[in-house]
Amino acid sequence: MKVLVIGPGGREHAIVRSLQADPYVTEVHAAPGNAGIAQDVPVHAVDAQDPAAVVALARDLEAGLVVVGPEAPLAAGVSDALREAGFPVFGPSRAAAQLEASKAFAKEIMAEAGVPTAMARVAANAAEAADALDAFGAPYVVKDDGLAAGKGVVVTEDRAEALAHAEACFAAGGTVVVEEFLDGPEVSLFVVSDGTHAVPLAPAQDFKRIFDGDQGPNTGGMGAYTPLEWLPEGFVDEVMERVALPTIREMANRGTPFVGVLYCGLALTRRGVRVIEFNARFGDPETQPVLARLKTPLGRLLLAAATGGLDDADQLAWRPETAVGVVLASAGYPDSPRRGDAISGLKEAAALDGVSVLHAGTAAGADGQILTAGGRVLAVVGLGADLRAARATAYEGVGRISWDGAQYRRDIAERAAEGGIEVPDPARGRHPADSRPAGAALGAPDENETEVR
């Protein structure tokens, strides 16, 4: 089978690497890719958000499967155009991708499906936003209703800052969702769906803030690790039963079946599991460590989902090691990422045992030198017998790589490695005072239902 992967980032590089390891996959192509992907497979200079151009490329390649990685092509209807042209596609339709493209739509789906999430209000102007902020109180949570590359969320004790974020979204022509503040550690769970059946991958935890100690502005994600040994027994089964499958059934009932990855962003609160957000694709940076541990051939899994065959899929197999991924970002990220800095040490890092280097925002210079070309530049993934060993491996790889102004967090998975993550006990209805880890969600709802106004 020949597979075409659409997208330019680290998530796509991880997918490409996993597809190359599948004996059923004979050829992998990417569009547009990046400098690292281009070292592994042929890349094609196609606009990933242009449905006609992507379909033309798939025809030229005679692709047996097309995997759409990022959210923007999904929202642009690339999957729809490919399906209409007769290609098996792993990635939801534009209508189904509204689960990510509109947080208000996602709240509506969760309300209809009975999925536990934070109480929320949709606001279209400053007066509505101010009223919602006062109703929920501090800490304030304000989310851009549309796509914002993981950076459209503000969580703050400062009401003026929260209102300013809302007003910036209004000025750009959007709306916002104001939510209750959720407490407890965050968990990311990828669920592969064929529109009817679903298979969960291994849970992971990511780290959104730019600086150590969960400080600074939100980013697209500065690192992640898996598995999560501190999760309560039966966690994945509970999420499938209460969150993923009800959502997938509701989408099917609406005539917009969800085919692809349903990313469930979750908080383990004192009231139980709550959904923070849905995404309609593999998350970045969680994909990098999650796929590093997956033994099941990825191409066959994604093809089964694309063709409605997940009910026949075998249980997934995983490597026994722990994986930790650390993101290296460019100078000025996330506000004003600088481009064009020469990167050194890539080969030295990749040569280390247990280390893989996955490119995101990179480009090749005229002399072949790899340059920074975006905010999040690389992810270094380390495998180890346990979390401490995996962290040591990942950071050894990070230490070999440098460029002017490079920045990364030094505490990815540190608290988990020290046994410092505690999960609230819903039976007692309270949250341990010191249990909020780096990468944690904030606050807890008082109701099971969602309020959308």
Side-chain angles (χ1 to χ4, degrees), residues 125-153:
N125 55 55
E128 292 176 357
D131 183 58
L133 291 172
D134 292 339
F136 292 131
Y140 304 103
V141 182
V142 182
K143 299 180 177 181
D144 189 335
D145 185 36
L147 296 175
K151 293 175 284 187
V153 181

Side-chain angles (χ1 to χ4, degrees), residues 60-408:
D60 288 345
L61 295 175
E62 298 181 341
L65 173 67
V66 183
V67 179
V68 183
E71 60 272 29
L74 296 172
V78 168
S79 291
D80 304 75
L82 287 162
R83 285 194 180 91
E84 289 171 8
F87 292 97
V89 182
F90 184 80
S93 64
R94 181 183 352 219
Q98 283 293 103
L99 278 175
E100 176 172 5
S102 170
K103 293 176 179 63
F105 175 79
K107 289 290 187 182
E108 177 186 325
I109 292 294
M110 283 187 271
E112 290 294 325
V115 171
T117 186
M119 297 281 285
R121 292 187 185 182
V122 179
N125 55 55
E128 292 176 357
D131 183 58
L133 291 172
D134 292 339
F136 292 131
Y140 304 103
V141 182
V142 182
K143 299 180 177 181
D144 189 335
D145 185 36
L147 296 175
K151 293 175 284 187
V153 181
V154 165
V155 181
T156 178
E157 296 277 356
D158 187 337
R159 184 181 181 280
E161 181 185 358
L163 190 57
H165 178 65
E167 289 175 333
C169 295
F170 302 145
T175 58
V176 299
V177 175
V178 180
E179 291 187 353
E180 286 182 301
F181 176 76
L182 293 177
D183 70 339
E186 266 188 38
V187 177
S188 300
L189 181 67
F190 301 151
V191 178
V192 176
S193 169
D194 66 3
T196 303
H197 309 95
V199 176
L201 274 63
Q205 185 179 61
D206 78 329
F207 297 77
K208 293 295 188 189
R209 303 280 187 170
I210 183 69
F211 300 128
D212 288 0
D214 210 29
Q215 299 299 308
N218 270 341
T219 71
M222 294 301 293
Y225 69 98
T226 183
L228 310 183
E229 300 293 347
W230 46 266
L231 280 177
E233 186 176 355
F235 171 81
V236 172
D237 290 340
E238 179 185 359
V239 174
M240 293 298 290
E241 180 180 345
R242 300 185 64 201
V243 175
L245 290 173
T247 301
I248 290 166
R249 284 193 291 265
E250 177 62 24
M251 294 299 290
N253 290 340
R254 290 176 173 234
T256 53
F258 189 95
V259 178
V261 169
L262 178 64
Y263 169 109
C264 302
L266 308 157
L268 279 70
T269 78
R270 66 189 181 203
R271 299 288 186 178
V273 174
R274 294 291 183 270
V275 174
I276 301 168
E277 65 175 351
F278 286 137
N279 289 337
R281 36 74 193 183
F282 282 111
D284 187 339
E286 298 98 324
T287 300
Q288 290 88 318
V290 168
L291 292 187
R293 295 187 59 243
L294 182 66
K295 290 178 65 176
T296 298
L298 182 66
R300 276 171 281 191
L301 176 66
L302 302 189
L303 181 63
T307 56
L310 275 184
D311 55 330
D312 297 323
D314 295 330
Q315 186 173 1
L316 302 186
W318 299 92
R319 296 179 60 158
E321 298 98 329
T322 294
V324 173
V326 179
V327 170
L328 290 88
S330 61
Y333 179 75
D335 295 327
S336 302
R338 192 170 72 202
R339 300 168 182 261
D341 290 307
I343 305 170
S344 63
L346 291 171
K347 291 181 179 179
E348 292 80 359
L352 294 172
D353 187 37
V355 169
S356 57
V357 179
L358 299 163
H359 290 232
T362 63
D367 58 356
Q369 174 74 54
I370 303 298
L371 309 175
T372 63
R376 293 183 297 167
V377 178
L378 303 166
V380 176
V381 178
L383 290 171
D386 57 23
L387 201 46
R388 290 181 183 274
R391 290 190 77 249
T393 301
Y395 279 106
E396 184 179 2
V398 169
R400 305 295 175 93
I401 299 171
S402 65
W403 66 83
D404 188 22
Q407 53 179 331
Y408 60 91

Side-chain angles (χ1 to χ4, degrees), residues 3-59:
V3 184
L4 171 61
V5 178
I6 303 300
R11 162 189 45 236
E12 288 74 44
H13 199 181
I15 292 170
V16 164
R17 289 269 180 91
S18 291
L19 289 170
Q20 287 182 298
D22 184 344
Y24 185 63
V25 175
T26 57
E27 225 175 295
V28 181
H29 291 251
N34 57 44
I37 294 175
Q39 293 175 344
D40 292 342
V41 301
V43 297
H44 304 269
V46 166
D47 181 354
Q49 298 182 48
D50 183 340
V54 174
V55 169
L57 175 60
R59 284 199 180 110

